[in-house]
Amino acid sequence: MARRRAVALLALVLLVAWAGARAQDEVPFVTTPDPVTLAMLRLAGVGAQDLVVDLGSGDGRIVITAARRFGARGLGVEIDPALVDLSRANARAAGVAGRVEFRVEDLFQTELSAAQVITMYLLPEVNLQLRPRLLALAAGTRIVSHDWDLGEWQPERSLTLEVPEKAIGRDKRSTVHLWVVPAQVQGLWCSAGGSLAITQRFQTFSATLSAHGAPAPVVVFDGRIVADRLHAGTDAQAAAIALRLAGDALEFTRFGGPASQFRDRRFTRAGPLGCR
Ligand SMILES: C[S@@+](CC[C@H](N)C(=O)[O-])C[C@H]1O[C@@H](n2cnc3c(N)ncnc32)[C@H](O)[C@@H]1O
């Protein structure tokens, strides 16, 4: 009886320990090969105006390359102090110590709001743990990930490179993905004489434009959100209807067909009592 209880207790302890194990404890140090680093930074369109934050920055190469090749500022956060020391030495050797910073920090604690670009070479489950925080960033923030995606949040673009020097994996191939944080527009929006009801899933949406008192919607359309811009359909250039989130208001920038009656209206978020 005592033995059974001891076994049950041990099983419970192991279960609690397993449940409490944090995915971030398991991300090993593996470097992104240089051609892949360049592909990530190019895919994100990194430039001199950007702050690039690398989550789990290893030996600092992504942040250092962003500064040296693209003139960006950079922040690397890394849990291993020895790698942070190495990164600082690498930044001095590359002549970019004044533009980059490395911190010993748990990436789950890092304040991300100042970043224009976030880079990651982590693990699938860590990416998924980070996803809610990434989605809450300012619209237009670019995120690039080496190899691992963000689950149901589809990338805007992905590309695959042959990388013979890749240290891990049989394929010697790397994929890099780009996401652009969409504006959060879910909910009911009101203007003089009408309303716009939007349901949003990551960067896709469905919208119903209605005129007050009319028995049927003016128009129903589905589309995509890129940063602060919404467009009907899948092709931004060809879209007949497009909107922009300007401050706290949605405005039509293209208003094909029946939407034209709302061309000059601004839509602001409904209060607790709806649009009237
Ligand atoms: C796969 S390596 C990528 C290194 C670098 N970003 C690159 O692409 O070359 C992941 C890095 O994340 C670091 N890491 C793991 N968990 C972390 C955490 N919770 N906070 C910060 N860094 C972490 C590891 O020490 C490792 O250096």
Side-chain angles (χ1 to χ4, degrees), residues 1-261:
M1 186 67 176
R3 188 154 173 261
R4 230 190 253 164
R5 241 190 239 153
V7 170
L9 188 64
L10 180 64
L12 184 68
V13 167
L14 288 175
L15 184 68
V16 169
W18 175 80
R22 301 176 315 160
Q24 66 266 31
D25 294 334
E26 295 157 13
V27 186
F29 171 48
V30 182
T31 55
T32 294
D34 291 343
V36 182
T37 297
L38 278 176
M40 291 170 80
L41 297 172
R42 286 190 180 125
L43 190 62
V46 169
Q49 68 290 347
D50 290 324
L51 173 67
V52 176
V53 176
D54 188 27
L55 297 177
S57 49
D59 63 4
R61 61 181 58 208
I62 293 182
V63 160
I64 290 168
T65 306
R68 198 166 59 83
R69 296 284 297 264
F70 300 90
R73 289 174 302 119
L75 168 65
V77 294
E78 170 54 55
I79 205 81
D80 179 345
L83 286 173
V84 169
D85 288 344
L86 175 62
S87 301
R88 289 175 180 152
N90 289 344
R92 281 193 295 275
V96 295
R99 298 187 64 75
V100 302
E101 184 190 345
F102 292 98
R103 284 188 208 148
V104 179
E105 190 169 275
D106 181 345
L107 61 88
F108 280 86
Q109 306 302 323
T110 301
E111 171 57 53
L112 301 175
S113 59
Q116 280 79 42
V117 176
I118 292 175
T119 58
M120 311 187 296
Y121 184 24
L122 298 167
L123 286 174
E125 61 271 27
V126 179
N127 281 11
L128 288 183
Q129 277 179 271
L130 283 168
R131 193 172 74 185
R133 292 185 60 213
L134 299 174
L135 271 168
L137 291 172
T141 307
R142 290 103 79 202
I143 299 156
V144 278
S145 173
H146 178 184
D147 276 347
W148 308 116
D149 64 20
L150 285 168
E152 292 169 300
W153 182 9
Q154 297 295 313
E156 293 298 318
R157 284 186 60 201
S158 301
L159 56 95
T160 299
L161 295 83
E162 302 296 327
V163 192
E165 68 270 39
K166 191 167 182 178
I168 55 163
R170 270 182 315 167
D171 286 349
K172 305 300 174 197
R173 211 175 269 150
S174 282
T175 302
V176 296
H177 305 283
L178 167 73
W179 295 262
V180 179
V181 175
Q184 298 299 320
V185 293
Q186 165 86 28
L188 182 64
W189 298 76
C190 310
S191 76
S195 67
L196 188 61
I198 300 180
T199 52
Q200 176 176 2
R201 182 135 177 84
F202 304 114
Q203 73 274 55
T204 63
F205 73 91
S206 179
T208 303
L209 178 63
S210 306
H212 291 331
V218 174
V219 61
V220 178
F221 55 102
D222 296 336
R224 295 175 65 80
I225 308 165
V226 181
D228 58 359
R229 298 194 175 249
L230 292 71
H231 62 83
T234 52
D235 181 351
Q237 303 304 321
I241 302 177
L243 296 125
R244 185 172 67 110
L245 182 64
D248 60 357
L250 278 170
E251 300 166 348
F252 280 99
T253 53
R254 280 189 227 165
F255 26 77
S260 63
Q261 65 183 281

